[in-house]
Amino acid sequence: EINAPRPTLKPTRQTQSQAKAMEVAAMDGDLDTVKTLVASGCPVDTMAVPKESFETSMTALGWAANRGHIDLLDYLITQGANPNAKSSRGDSLLMMADTPETIQRLLEAGADPSLENNSGMDTIAYYRDQASYFEKSDDEDWEESMKKFNIASAKAYHDKISAIEKWKTANV
């Protein structure tokens, strides 16, 4: 099946430095460095091993989606990056995506919104859970700037839900 999840490559000791370089370049949106790494043989779906248990690692496509680097995201898709890869914590790239635009790009590349994370939530359930967290944390004990942040964060998750629902309606 064309949209079946492909394995994410875990770097060997020899490729860990390449994987870390790919991760940093993707986080920074450094398309030229990512192209150089891919041209030198670094797999597009490599993922650096987190040094600490609280750190999250993702493929370059995950970081591009998470940071909103559209040019990099588009390039990695053309290079065959797996839109169904998961982070080191088990979240799908759709769950980690930053904006409705990055979500749309991932969906068009074959990302599956029904993939579940380690908590058993699919993408929409994950977004609802995140939105609920920010909606509940908007109480009178918060400073006004934090309340505004929570409201904006909850809205961003609802916008992501809308993007997936719109895509589902158009692609049924």
Side-chain angles (χ1 to χ4, degrees), residues 92 94-96 103 107 112-117 120-132 157-169:
S92 73
L94 281 172
M95 292 173 188
M96 305 305 291
I103 290 168
L107 290 167
D112 181 357
S114 68
L115 289 179
E116 294 181 351
N117 65 9
M121 289 187 277
D122 69 11
T123 304
I124 289 181
Y126 174 83
Y127 288 158
R128 284 189 177 127
D129 181 67
Q130 295 299 304
S132 174
Y157 281 107
H158 287 294
D159 290 347
K160 292 175 184 184
I161 292 168
S162 295
I164 291 178
E165 289 173 342
K166 181 179 174 182
W167 178 84
K168 281 182 170 182
T169 301

Side-chain angles (χ1 to χ4, degrees), residues 18-39:
Q18 256 191 337
K20 190 62 181 173
M22 178 75 95
E23 180 179 65
V24 170
M27 289 170 80
D28 292 343
D30 187 346
L31 180 58
D32 291 335
T33 298
V34 169
K35 284 181 175 181
T36 299
L37 287 163
V38 170

Side-chain angles (χ1 to χ4, degrees), residues 31-119:
L31 180 58
D32 291 335
T33 298
V34 169
K35 284 181 175 181
T36 299
L37 287 163
V38 170
S40 72
C42 184
V44 292
D45 284 333
T46 193
M47 186 166 68
V49 176
K51 289 184 180 180
E52 303 290 337
S53 61
F54 60 85
E55 293 180 336
T56 298
S57 260
M58 289 186 279
T59 63
L61 185 62
W63 286 114
N66 180 261
R67 301 290 173 95
H69 302 306
I70 299 298
D71 294 351
L72 180 56
L73 188 135
D74 289 342
Y75 168 75
L76 290 164
I77 289 169
T78 66
Q79 296 302 304
N82 180 4
N84 288 309
K86 292 188 173 187
S87 75
S88 59
R89 293 183 174 210
D91 293 323
S92 73
L93 301 189
L94 281 172
M95 292 173 188
M96 305 305 291
D98 183 51
T99 65
E101 183 180 6
T102 56
I103 290 168
Q104 183 69 29
R105 292 282 209 312
L106 289 171
L107 290 167
E108 289 170 358
D112 181 357
S114 68
L115 289 179
E116 294 181 351
N117 65 9
N118 293 347
S119 298

